Amino acid sequence: SGAGAISESVVITILAVLGCAAASLMLVRAEEEKLAVAFGAKFDAYRSRVPAFWPDFSNFRDGTEVTFSPRQLASTVRDGCVFLAVYPLFDGIEMLQESGLVPVLYNLY
């Protein structure tokens, strides 16, 4: 959905947000079914306390220490760099279209 927002097209942004939300909801439902089978009553108790999709910040308790995995941090930074690379890609495509080197197939805004 972030890439849709960078595209500067309202239609693409809305479609991306709806697509991501639908995919997330389907994934949550599939995972809940598997976890319910694997953990039974323990998962049911967990599910009653923890929302499946939207966070409940009233359940948040801040700890005294923060630990993290350097490998996971590096992975997250790489993911962020891929997201940032989309912006110049869209700008480059737009420049090529404005110069007439690449045809405009659809205009969605």
PDB file of all heavy atoms in Angstrom, residues 71-92:
ATOM      1  N   ARG A  71      20.540  -9.576  13.426  1.00  0.00           N
ATOM      2  CA  ARG A  71      20.181 -10.153  12.124  1.00  0.00           C
ATOM      3  C   ARG A  71      18.788  -9.684  11.703  1.00  0.00           C
ATOM      4  O   ARG A  71      18.558  -9.333  10.546  1.00  0.00           O
ATOM      5  CB  ARG A  71      20.220 -11.678  12.209  1.00  0.00           C
ATOM      6  CG  ARG A  71      19.900 -12.339  10.884  1.00  0.00           C
ATOM      7  CD  ARG A  71      20.087 -13.830  10.959  1.00  0.00           C
ATOM      8  NE  ARG A  71      21.534 -14.089  11.036  1.00  0.00           N
ATOM      9  CZ  ARG A  71      22.073 -15.161  11.557  1.00  0.00           C
ATOM     10  NH1 ARG A  71      21.326 -16.108  12.061  1.00  0.00           N
ATOM     11  NH2 ARG A  71      23.371 -15.320  11.586  1.00  0.00           N
ATOM     12  N   GLN A  72      17.848  -9.652  12.642  1.00  0.00           N
ATOM     13  CA  GLN A  72      16.484  -9.192  12.328  1.00  0.00           C
ATOM     14  C   GLN A  72      16.478  -7.700  12.011  1.00  0.00           C
ATOM     15  O   GLN A  72      15.749  -7.256  11.125  1.00  0.00           O
ATOM     16  CB  GLN A  72      15.556  -9.498  13.503  1.00  0.00           C
ATOM     17  CG  GLN A  72      14.094  -9.424  13.157  1.00  0.00           C
ATOM     18  CD  GLN A  72      13.687 -10.485  12.154  1.00  0.00           C
ATOM     19  OE1 GLN A  72      14.208 -11.586  12.134  1.00  0.00           O
ATOM     20  NE2 GLN A  72      12.752 -10.150  11.309  1.00  0.00           N
ATOM     21  N   LEU A  73      17.295  -6.924  12.729  1.00  0.00           N
ATOM     22  CA  LEU A  73      17.394  -5.494  12.448  1.00  0.00           C
ATOM     23  C   LEU A  73      17.917  -5.267  11.034  1.00  0.00           C
ATOM     24  O   LEU A  73      17.385  -4.441  10.288  1.00  0.00           O
ATOM     25  CB  LEU A  73      18.297  -4.805  13.476  1.00  0.00           C
ATOM     26  CG  LEU A  73      18.548  -3.320  13.235  1.00  0.00           C
ATOM     27  CD1 LEU A  73      17.258  -2.509  13.311  1.00  0.00           C
ATOM     28  CD2 LEU A  73      19.582  -2.798  14.214  1.00  0.00           C
ATOM     29  N   ALA A  74      18.952  -6.012  10.651  1.00  0.00           N
ATOM     30  CA  ALA A  74      19.509  -5.880   9.296  1.00  0.00           C
ATOM     31  C   ALA A  74      18.470  -6.240   8.251  1.00  0.00           C
ATOM     32  O   ALA A  74      18.360  -5.578   7.215  1.00  0.00           O
ATOM     33  CB  ALA A  74      20.747  -6.760   9.150  1.00  0.00           C
ATOM     34  N   SER A  75      17.688  -7.270   8.513  1.00  0.00           N
ATOM     35  CA  SER A  75      16.634  -7.671   7.587  1.00  0.00           C
ATOM     36  C   SER A  75      15.591  -6.567   7.437  1.00  0.00           C
ATOM     37  O   SER A  75      15.133  -6.267   6.328  1.00  0.00           O
ATOM     38  CB  SER A  75      15.983  -8.962   8.076  1.00  0.00           C
ATOM     39  OG  SER A  75      14.883  -9.304   7.275  1.00  0.00           O
ATOM     40  N   THR A  76      15.220  -5.947   8.534  1.00  0.00           N
ATOM     41  CA  THR A  76      14.233  -4.867   8.511  1.00  0.00           C
ATOM     42  C   THR A  76      14.769  -3.659   7.739  1.00  0.00           C
ATOM     43  O   THR A  76      14.041  -3.032   6.963  1.00  0.00           O
ATOM     44  CB  THR A  76      13.861  -4.459   9.947  1.00  0.00           C
ATOM     45  OG1 THR A  76      13.332  -5.604  10.617  1.00  0.00           O
ATOM     46  CG2 THR A  76      12.841  -3.347   9.964  1.00  0.00           C
ATOM     47  N   VAL A  77      16.047  -3.341   7.932  1.00  0.00           N
ATOM     48  CA  VAL A  77      16.652  -2.223   7.203  1.00  0.00           C
ATOM     49  C   VAL A  77      16.663  -2.515   5.700  1.00  0.00           C
ATOM     50  O   VAL A  77      16.351  -1.645   4.882  1.00  0.00           O
ATOM     51  CB  VAL A  77      18.068  -1.922   7.731  1.00  0.00           C
ATOM     52  CG1 VAL A  77      18.808  -0.948   6.824  1.00  0.00           C
ATOM     53  CG2 VAL A  77      18.000  -1.374   9.148  1.00  0.00           C
ATOM     54  N   ARG A  78      17.001  -3.757   5.319  1.00  0.00           N
ATOM     55  CA  ARG A  78      16.977  -4.125   3.893  1.00  0.00           C
ATOM     56  C   ARG A  78      15.570  -3.977   3.321  1.00  0.00           C
ATOM     57  O   ARG A  78      15.396  -3.462   2.215  1.00  0.00           O
ATOM     58  CB  ARG A  78      17.469  -5.561   3.700  1.00  0.00           C
ATOM     59  CG  ARG A  78      18.961  -5.696   3.662  1.00  0.00           C
ATOM     60  CD  ARG A  78      19.391  -7.079   3.186  1.00  0.00           C
ATOM     61  NE  ARG A  78      18.822  -8.168   3.952  1.00  0.00           N
ATOM     62  CZ  ARG A  78      19.338  -8.665   5.070  1.00  0.00           C
ATOM     63  NH1 ARG A  78      20.451  -8.170   5.558  1.00  0.00           N
ATOM     64  NH2 ARG A  78      18.752  -9.668   5.694  1.00  0.00           N
ATOM     65  N   ASP A  79      14.569  -4.428   4.072  1.00  0.00           N
ATOM     66  CA  ASP A  79      13.178  -4.282   3.608  1.00  0.00           C
ATOM     67  C   ASP A  79      12.828  -2.813   3.398  1.00  0.00           C
ATOM     68  O   ASP A  79      12.165  -2.452   2.427  1.00  0.00           O
ATOM     69  CB  ASP A  79      12.208  -4.910   4.603  1.00  0.00           C
ATOM     70  CG  ASP A  79      12.296  -6.419   4.652  1.00  0.00           C
ATOM     71  OD1 ASP A  79      12.914  -7.019   3.746  1.00  0.00           O
ATOM     72  OD2 ASP A  79      11.758  -7.010   5.615  1.00  0.00           O
ATOM     73  N   GLY A  80      13.244  -1.961   4.315  1.00  0.00           N
ATOM     74  CA  GLY A  80      12.981  -0.531   4.189  1.00  0.00           C
ATOM     75  C   GLY A  80      13.665   0.070   2.970  1.00  0.00           C
ATOM     76  O   GLY A  80      13.101   0.922   2.289  1.00  0.00           O
ATOM     77  N   CYS A  81      14.876  -0.393   2.676  1.00  0.00           N
ATOM     78  CA  CYS A  81      15.599   0.105   1.495  1.00  0.00           C
ATOM     79  C   CYS A  81      14.885  -0.284   0.206  1.00  0.00           C
ATOM     80  O   CYS A  81      14.849   0.500  -0.744  1.00  0.00           O
ATOM     81  CB  CYS A  81      17.024  -0.417   1.502  1.00  0.00           C
ATOM     82  SG  CYS A  81      18.048   0.359   2.779  1.00  0.00           S
ATOM     83  N   VAL A  82      14.309  -1.482   0.179  1.00  0.00           N
ATOM     84  CA  VAL A  82      13.550  -1.896  -1.006  1.00  0.00           C
ATOM     85  C   VAL A  82      12.346  -0.967  -1.192  1.00  0.00           C
ATOM     86  O   VAL A  82      12.062  -0.509  -2.297  1.00  0.00           O
ATOM     87  CB  VAL A  82      13.093  -3.369  -0.885  1.00  0.00           C
ATOM     88  CG1 VAL A  82      12.086  -3.724  -1.964  1.00  0.00           C
ATOM     89  CG2 VAL A  82      14.301  -4.294  -0.945  1.00  0.00           C
ATOM     90  N   PHE A  83      11.662  -0.660  -0.099  1.00  0.00           N
ATOM     91  CA  PHE A  83      10.529   0.261  -0.175  1.00  0.00           C
ATOM     92  C   PHE A  83      10.975   1.627  -0.691  1.00  0.00           C
ATOM     93  O   PHE A  83      10.337   2.222  -1.560  1.00  0.00           O
ATOM     94  CB  PHE A  83       9.865   0.400   1.195  1.00  0.00           C
ATOM     95  CG  PHE A  83       8.812   1.462   1.241  1.00  0.00           C
ATOM     96  CD1 PHE A  83       7.567   1.242   0.691  1.00  0.00           C
ATOM     97  CD2 PHE A  83       9.075   2.695   1.808  1.00  0.00           C
ATOM     98  CE1 PHE A  83       6.583   2.234   0.711  1.00  0.00           C
ATOM     99  CE2 PHE A  83       8.111   3.685   1.840  1.00  0.00           C
ATOM    100  CZ  PHE A  83       6.868   3.450   1.294  1.00  0.00           C
ATOM    101  N   LEU A  84      12.090   2.139  -0.173  1.00  0.00           N
ATOM    102  CA  LEU A  84      12.575   3.447  -0.611  1.00  0.00           C
ATOM    103  C   LEU A  84      13.003   3.441  -2.070  1.00  0.00           C
ATOM    104  O   LEU A  84      12.936   4.463  -2.746  1.00  0.00           O
ATOM    105  CB  LEU A  84      13.733   3.903   0.278  1.00  0.00           C
ATOM    106  CG  LEU A  84      13.356   4.273   1.704  1.00  0.00           C
ATOM    107  CD1 LEU A  84      14.609   4.594   2.519  1.00  0.00           C
ATOM    108  CD2 LEU A  84      12.389   5.441   1.741  1.00  0.00           C
ATOM    109  N   ALA A  85      13.430   2.297  -2.580  1.00  0.00           N
ATOM    110  CA  ALA A  85      13.860   2.203  -3.980  1.00  0.00           C
ATOM    111  C   ALA A  85      12.683   2.358  -4.944  1.00  0.00           C
ATOM    112  O   ALA A  85      12.876   2.698  -6.111  1.00  0.00           O
ATOM    113  CB  ALA A  85      14.562   0.870  -4.225  1.00  0.00           C
ATOM    114  N   VAL A  86      11.471   2.130  -4.470  1.00  0.00           N
ATOM    115  CA  VAL A  86      10.299   2.245  -5.332  1.00  0.00           C
ATOM    116  C   VAL A  86      10.070   3.699  -5.742  1.00  0.00           C
ATOM    117  O   VAL A  86       9.670   3.970  -6.870  1.00  0.00           O
ATOM    118  CB  VAL A  86       9.051   1.663  -4.621  1.00  0.00           C
ATOM    119  CG1 VAL A  86       7.783   1.945  -5.404  1.00  0.00           C
ATOM    120  CG2 VAL A  86       9.221   0.171  -4.410  1.00  0.00           C
ATOM    121  N   TYR A  87      10.364   4.627  -4.865  1.00  0.00           N
ATOM    122  CA  TYR A  87      10.107   6.041  -5.161  1.00  0.00           C
ATOM    123  C   TYR A  87      10.900   6.522  -6.376  1.00  0.00           C
ATOM    124  O   TYR A  87      10.315   7.067  -7.318  1.00  0.00           O
ATOM    125  CB  TYR A  87      10.395   6.904  -3.929  1.00  0.00           C
ATOM    126  CG  TYR A  87       9.955   8.326  -4.092  1.00  0.00           C
ATOM    127  CD1 TYR A  87       8.614   8.675  -3.995  1.00  0.00           C
ATOM    128  CD2 TYR A  87      10.869   9.328  -4.375  1.00  0.00           C
ATOM    129  CE1 TYR A  87       8.195   9.981  -4.164  1.00  0.00           C
ATOM    130  CE2 TYR A  87      10.459  10.640  -4.545  1.00  0.00           C
ATOM    131  CZ  TYR A  87       9.124  10.958  -4.438  1.00  0.00           C
ATOM    132  OH  TYR A  87       8.713  12.243  -4.616  1.00  0.00           O
ATOM    133  N   PRO A  88      12.238   6.331  -6.415  1.00  0.00           N
ATOM    134  CA  PRO A  88      12.950   6.760  -7.622  1.00  0.00           C
ATOM    135  C   PRO A  88      12.544   5.964  -8.862  1.00  0.00           C
ATOM    136  O   PRO A  88      12.598   6.487  -9.980  1.00  0.00           O
ATOM    137  CB  PRO A  88      14.432   6.559  -7.293  1.00  0.00           C
ATOM    138  CG  PRO A  88      14.490   5.859  -6.005  1.00  0.00           C
ATOM    139  CD  PRO A  88      13.144   5.895  -5.375  1.00  0.00           C
ATOM    140  N   LEU A  89      12.120   4.714  -8.676  1.00  0.00           N
ATOM    141  CA  LEU A  89      11.650   3.930  -9.818  1.00  0.00           C
ATOM    142  C   LEU A  89      10.418   4.582 -10.446  1.00  0.00           C
ATOM    143  O   LEU A  89      10.367   4.784 -11.667  1.00  0.00           O
ATOM    144  CB  LEU A  89      11.328   2.495  -9.384  1.00  0.00           C
ATOM    145  CG  LEU A  89      10.690   1.603 -10.447  1.00  0.00           C
ATOM    146  CD1 LEU A  89      11.703   1.281 -11.535  1.00  0.00           C
ATOM    147  CD2 LEU A  89      10.150   0.338  -9.817  1.00  0.00           C
ATOM    148  N   PHE A  90       9.441   4.955  -9.617  1.00  0.00           N
ATOM    149  CA  PHE A  90       8.245   5.618 -10.141  1.00  0.00           C
ATOM    150  C   PHE A  90       8.596   6.979 -10.747  1.00  0.00           C
ATOM    151  O   PHE A  90       8.038   7.366 -11.771  1.00  0.00           O
ATOM    152  CB  PHE A  90       7.182   5.783  -9.056  1.00  0.00           C
ATOM    153  CG  PHE A  90       6.385   4.538  -8.796  1.00  0.00           C
ATOM    154  CD1 PHE A  90       6.035   4.188  -7.505  1.00  0.00           C
ATOM    155  CD2 PHE A  90       5.974   3.708  -9.821  1.00  0.00           C
ATOM    156  CE1 PHE A  90       5.290   3.047  -7.252  1.00  0.00           C
ATOM    157  CE2 PHE A  90       5.234   2.571  -9.580  1.00  0.00           C
ATOM    158  CZ  PHE A  90       4.891   2.234  -8.291  1.00  0.00           C
ATOM    159  N   ASP A  91       9.502   7.715 -10.112  1.00  0.00           N
ATOM    160  CA  ASP A  91       9.915   8.998 -10.680  1.00  0.00           C
ATOM    161  C   ASP A  91      10.590   8.804 -12.033  1.00  0.00           C
ATOM    162  O   ASP A  91      10.371   9.584 -12.969  1.00  0.00           O
ATOM    163  CB  ASP A  91      10.869   9.730  -9.730  1.00  0.00           C
ATOM    164  CG  ASP A  91      10.138  10.643  -8.770  1.00  0.00           C
ATOM    165  OD1 ASP A  91       8.904  10.775  -8.893  1.00  0.00           O
ATOM    166  OD2 ASP A  91      10.808  11.243  -7.903  1.00  0.00           O
ATOM    167  N   GLY A  92      11.429   7.779 -12.143  1.00  0.00           N
ATOM    168  CA  GLY A  92      12.097   7.495 -13.413  1.00  0.00           C
ATOM    169  C   GLY A  92      11.109   7.143 -14.504  1.00  0.00           C
ATOM    170  O   GLY A  92      11.235   7.625 -15.646  1.00  0.00           O
TER     171      GLY A  92
END
